[in-house]
Amino acid sequence: MITNFRRGLMAAALAFAVLAPASPAQADEVTLMDGITALPVADEIREGYKRELYPHWKDDDKNGCTARNDVLIAEAIEAPTLGAGCSLTGGVWHSYDDDVLVQGPSGIDIDHLIPLAEVHDSGGYGWTTERRRRYANDLGSDVTLVGVTARSNRQKSDQDPSTWMPMPAVHCRYLGEWVATKHRWGLAVDPAEREALLRYAADCPNARIAYDPAA
């Protein structure tokens, strides 16, 4: 069963179907190229960044689970056992960054698709604490938070596509999710990032994106 599911995931990735946000009927759809060119371009501002400025893994929907565990539950391909206090045991996950199946929640990191430092660099430096919190726990889009292997997450760190990309088979999916998330949260791109996005997107002629602006 896991093998068949994995094949399905990879087939979708190879077709570079770009994930849309949770409510695609309410979102405008554009080509990936148009989405990239529409992003504002600005130099990054890292000054003042601290991870604690972005309160994360909160239970903002008051369902008894942190945003991290909500994503783990939603993305599991074999459901974990839910215990007291939303503790999770067992379960299986697929990390699309590197095409790895992971047994148990401890081997999965929940990645902020746009890393918190990159968010800060790209406009988050001017946000209120409340908006930073909403980004850091964003369950309103299927792609802001994503489960990946700890190894992949450490490799990516706070890099943008000019210096880090996942495996080639999922480049188009990753680009689409990156650009859609930048639009969703009103973030800019720096010149090197824009150039990299355009270069990689040349291999994704049929890719389209959709997004709902964050509240």
Side-chain angles (χ1 to χ4, degrees), residues 43-59:
D43 291 334
E44 293 187 342
I45 298 178
R46 178 64 62 95
E47 184 178 358
Y49 171 71
K50 295 180 181 178
R51 187 171 175 84
E52 55 265 31
L53 293 175
Y54 294 78
H56 51 285
W57 309 150
K58 304 302 181 182
D59 180 18

Side-chain angles (χ1 to χ4, degrees), residues 6 9-10 75 77 92-96 99-102 147:
R6 182 178 180 180
L9 284 171
M10 290 309 301
E75 293 193 353
I77 60 176
V92 177
W93 288 264
H94 177 262
S95 169
Y96 91 78
D99 190 25
V100 173
L101 288 178
V102 179

Side-chain angles (χ1 to χ4, degrees), residues 1-8 101:
M1 180 176 67
I2 295 174
T3 299
N4 289 338
F5 188 91
R6 182 178 180 180
R7 287 173 180 162
L101 288 178

Side-chain angles (χ1 to χ4, degrees), residues 193-209:
E193 178 186 355
R194 184 180 190 273
E195 189 280 329
L197 291 170
L198 291 170
R199 183 175 71 253
Y200 284 116
D203 294 328
C204 313
N206 299 319
R208 301 183 69 83
I209 64 168

Side-chain angles (χ1 to χ4, degrees), residues 51-90:
R51 187 171 175 84
E52 55 265 31
L53 293 175
Y54 294 78
H56 51 285
W57 309 150
K58 304 302 181 182
D59 180 18
D60 288 343
D61 59 6
K62 309 301 182 187
N63 69 350
C65 295
T66 65
R68 181 184 189 279
N69 279 8
D70 280 333
V71 176
L72 284 170
I73 292 167
E75 293 193 353
I77 60 176
E78 283 193 3
T81 299
L82 182 63
C86 198
S87 61
L88 304 178
T89 55

